[in-house]
Amino acid sequence: MKALVYVTLKPDVLDPQGKAIVRASAQLGYDAVKAVRQGKLFELELDAADEAAARRLLDEFSDKLLANPVIEDYRVVTIEP
Amino acid sequence: MKALVYVTLKPDVLDPQGKAIVRASAQLGYDAVKAVRQGKLFELELDAADEAAARRLLDEFSDKLLANPVIEDYRVVTIEP
C-alpha cells in the first residue's frame, strides 16, 4: 500500500525557516506572500492487510519515528492499495 | 488565500534520509514499512485577486524559491479563499 503523511509544527511553535522564506520573498518582490510554514511530507510504501491495519501502523510509526510529538503534529492524508 | 505546495525529490534522485528511516524502522521492528521518501510541505498565505492569479504566483514562487528545479519537483495541491 502507499500512504502519504504530513508532519507539521504545532501552531504555537515558531517556524524560523518559514519566516526566512517570507523575508526572502519580499526581497525578491513577492510581497503577495504573507506567511509560510514549512512541514514535512512522507511518501511511504508498506505491507498491510487492509486500510484499517495500515492506519494503525501509520499512526504508531508516525508518532514514534516520523514526528516529534512534543512540537509536531502528524496527519495520515491518503492510504491507497 | 491559503495554499499548499508539495516539494519532492525527482524520482531518479536518491533520498538518503528516506533510506535511513526505512533502516531505523526495520531496527524498531516495523518490517512492514518498505520504502519512504521525504519531501517538503509548504503552507502559504498570499494575496491574490483570484485562483488563477494565485496559481500563477505560486508556480513562479515555487520554481524560484521553494524548490530546486534541478533535483526537485513541486506541486500546488490546494488553493483556498
Side-chain angles (χ1 to χ4, degrees), chain A residues 53-69:
Chain A
R55 188 164 292 272
R56 273 197 305 277
L57 171 65
L58 285 166
D59 276 338
E60 204 182 308
F61 186 67
S62 302
D63 195 64
K64 276 202 188 161
L65 248 165
L66 300 183
N68 172 354

Side-chain angles (χ1 to χ4, degrees), chain B residues 46-78:
Chain B
L46 54 152
D47 280 345
D50 54 28
E51 197 181 312
R55 189 164 291 273
R56 272 197 306 277
L57 171 66
L58 285 166
D59 277 337
E60 205 183 308
F61 185 68
S62 300
D63 194 64
K64 277 200 187 161
L65 248 165
L66 300 183
N68 172 355
V70 177
I71 56 165
E72 291 173 326
D73 290 323
Y74 71 86
R75 189 148 63 93
V76 177
V77 187
T78 54

Side-chain angles (χ1 to χ4, degrees), chain A residues 45-80:
Chain A
E45 275 181 46
L46 54 151
D47 281 345
D50 54 28
E51 198 180 313
R55 188 164 292 272
R56 273 197 305 277
L57 171 65
L58 285 166
D59 276 338
E60 204 182 308
F61 186 67
S62 302
D63 195 64
K64 276 202 188 161
L65 248 165
L66 300 183
N68 172 354
V70 178
I71 56 165
E72 291 172 326
D73 289 322
Y74 71 86
R75 188 148 65 92
V76 177
V77 186
T78 55
I79 300 177
E80 286 168 6

Side-chain angles (χ1 to χ4, degrees), chain B residues 4 6-7 21 33 41 66 75 79 81:
Chain B
L4 197 65
Y6 289 174
V7 173
I21 294 170
V33 177
L41 176 74
L66 300 183
R75 189 148 63 93
I79 300 179

Side-chain angles (χ1 to χ4, degrees), chain B residues 9 13-20 36-39:
Chain B
L9 287 170
V13 175
L14 293 174
D15 177 12
Q17 202 162 358
K19 292 240 181 300
V36 177
R37 281 182 78 81
Q38 181 168 352

